[in-house]
Every structure is written in C-alpha cells, then in structure tokens.
Amino acid sequence: EAGVTQFPSHSVIEKGQTVTLRCDPISGHDNLYWYRRVMGKEIKFLLHFVKESKQDESGMPNNRFLAERTGGTYSTLKVQPAELEDSGVYFCASSQDPAGLSEQYFGPGTRLTVT
Amino acid sequence: TQLLEQSPQFLSIQEGENLTVYCNSSSVFSSLQWYRQEPGEGPVLLVTVVTGGEVKKLKRLTFQFGDARKDSSLHITAAQPGDTGLYLCAGGRNNSKLTFGKGITLSVRP
C-alpha cells in the first residue's frame, strides 16, 4: 500500500510569489491533515479535512493560505502571496480511524523556502 | 505556550546503553502517539497509547502512558546506532488534530 505522498519535495520562491503544495493521502483515508514546522518550533496543526469538507481550519495562519480537497481525494495548499515567515516544512497526514485514536500517517513533507 | 514538553531535548549515548525520555503535559489527551523522524523524511508512527497506565513494547522500545493520560515515557534498552533520530510525542483527541512536542534528538554512538 502506498503511503502519503507530497509534491514538490522542495520549493524555493521569492516573497510575493504563489506556491501550491499537493498531498495525496493513503487510499481510502477520509481524514487529511496539514501541518507545518518552522525552524526551531514544534510541528503545528493547520487544517483538517473529512472527505472534501473542512472539519477544522483553526490553525491556518491567515487568509494568504487556501486549502482545497475537491472530490475528497488529494488536497492542495496554496500560499498567495508568500511571505518570508511562511518558510518551513509542510507536512500532510491522513488517517482512517473510526475508533478515534488519531493515528495519523505522515508524508515526507515539502520544504518551502521564501527568499 | 507549549502544551507538550519533551525532555531531554538532546541525548547522546554509547551503543548498548539504556535510556528513558519523557513527554509531559498539563492537558489530558484521549491518545498519545510516539513518532520517529529522520532527516528529510516525515514522522513515522511507532505506537499509540490510549489507556491510563498502559504499557506497550516494540522490540527494545517500551512506551508507557501515565495514569492521568497527561504524560508518557519511552525507554530504549541496549540502544543501537539505528535508533538515532528525532523522537516526537503527539497528543490527540478523537480523530482531530495532533499537538506535538518539539522532539528529542537521540544520537547513539557506535
């Protein structure tokens, strides 16, 4: 079974540009999460989808971030326009967890550098 | 305010030694996960504990969830260089977001 995949693995953009990150969850997983780790800090939650619906977007930093999951399969996270403080590693995770144990499986991450 | 404190932050030991690291919180979680992360990769799930006082073993790794479900420990017996990595604990509440600690960087010298 394929794990969570993310694209691209690295992205370097200039301040003010737009970047779109993609996440493909494990097949059949209804829950999809986005997290971010900035340098020196812990991994922090951004957003949770259940199928195509946003269940919790309390971690989204501001309206420059837009996440979508059309059709309830893969998800995209767009940053527009990017700022220097958006640099970090963006992780996607998925789970299919009726028992509510929050067992989430992570992708390798996308390292975003805004210059 | 960091909800999950992991200690120690860094640990360097010799192959064959035993070690225990900790994950502490003032909040109650319905479950707690331990992950291991290597450079350039995402966190890999090691174990989930859900019951207060629960102990789970994974080969040489022993995980314990505190009775009040606020803290956890990870004990490694006879550490090996392959155990080197970043160990993360994360608290969860019923299929929702995970709250992570900053992690413990473990280095096992041959």
Side-chain angles (χ1 to χ4, degrees), chain A residues 32-46:
Chain A
L32 186 149
Y33 307 81
W34 284 99
Y35 293 86
R36 176 175 73 172
R37 183 169 194 156
V38 298
M39 192 175 297
K41 301 283 190 180
E42 67 272 21
I43 296 173
K44 287 193 174 177
F45 167 81
L46 297 177

Side-chain angles (χ1 to χ4, degrees), chain B residues 21-84:
Chain B
V21 295
Y22 302 92
C23 174
N24 295 303
S25 174
S26 57
S27 302
V28 175
F29 293 100
S30 58
S31 67
L32 195 136
Q33 283 79 34
W34 282 91
Y35 290 84
R36 180 164 159 251
Q37 185 179 12
E38 298 196 35
E41 299 180 6
V44 175
L45 181 65
L46 296 175
V47 77
T48 300
V49 286
V50 296
T51 305
E54 181 177 6
V55 177
K56 279 192 174 179
K57 292 194 174 184
L58 183 66
K59 298 183 180 177
R60 294 176 293 100
L61 279 60
T62 302
F63 304 85
Q64 183 161 7
F65 203 10
D67 291 341
R69 291 188 292 144
K70 292 183 179 180
D71 52 82
S72 180
S73 64
L74 161 58
H75 180 82
I76 300 179
T77 303
Q80 298 178 1
D83 296 326
T84 293

Side-chain angles (χ1 to χ4, degrees), chain A residues 4-82:
Chain A
V4 177
T5 58
Q6 292 187 244
F7 183 83
S9 57
H10 294 84
S11 181
V12 181
I13 61 172
E14 293 183 352
K15 176 182 172 180
Q17 289 186 322
T18 298
V19 64
T20 300
L21 314 181
R22 173 171 169 143
C23 168
D24 286 78
I26 293 171
S27 178
H29 281 195
D30 288 339
N31 295 284
L32 186 149
Y33 307 81
W34 284 99
Y35 293 86
R36 176 175 73 172
R37 183 169 194 156
V38 298
M39 192 175 297
K41 301 283 190 180
E42 67 272 21
I43 296 173
K44 287 193 174 177
F45 167 81
L46 297 177
L47 178 84
H48 172 202
F49 283 100
V50 178
K51 296 185 180 179
E52 67 274 11
S53 299
K54 292 176 184 175
Q55 180 79 10
D56 180 358
E57 50 185 326
S58 62
M60 295 288 263
N62 50 61
N63 59 11
R64 296 186 293 103
F65 289 75
L66 175 64
E68 295 180 324
R69 193 184 181 195
T70 306
T73 54
Y74 71 91
S75 175
T76 57
L77 179 64
K78 182 193 290 188
V79 185
Q80 178 183 30

Side-chain angles (χ1 to χ4, degrees), chain B residues 76-99:
Chain B
I76 300 179
T77 303
Q80 298 178 1
D83 296 326
T84 293
L86 177 68
Y87 288 81
L88 298 161
C89 69
R93 297 186 178 93
N94 297 330
N95 243 353
S96 65
K97 63 187 178 185
L98 291 176
T99 299

Side-chain angles (χ1 to χ4, degrees), chain B residues 4-23:
Chain B
L4 276 172
E5 298 274 351
Q6 292 191 250
S7 61
Q9 193 173 352
F10 300 97
L11 187 59
S12 180
I13 61 171
Q14 200 71 35
E15 180 177 2
E17 292 183 359
N18 301 331
L19 67 115
T20 302
V21 295
Y22 302 92
C23 174

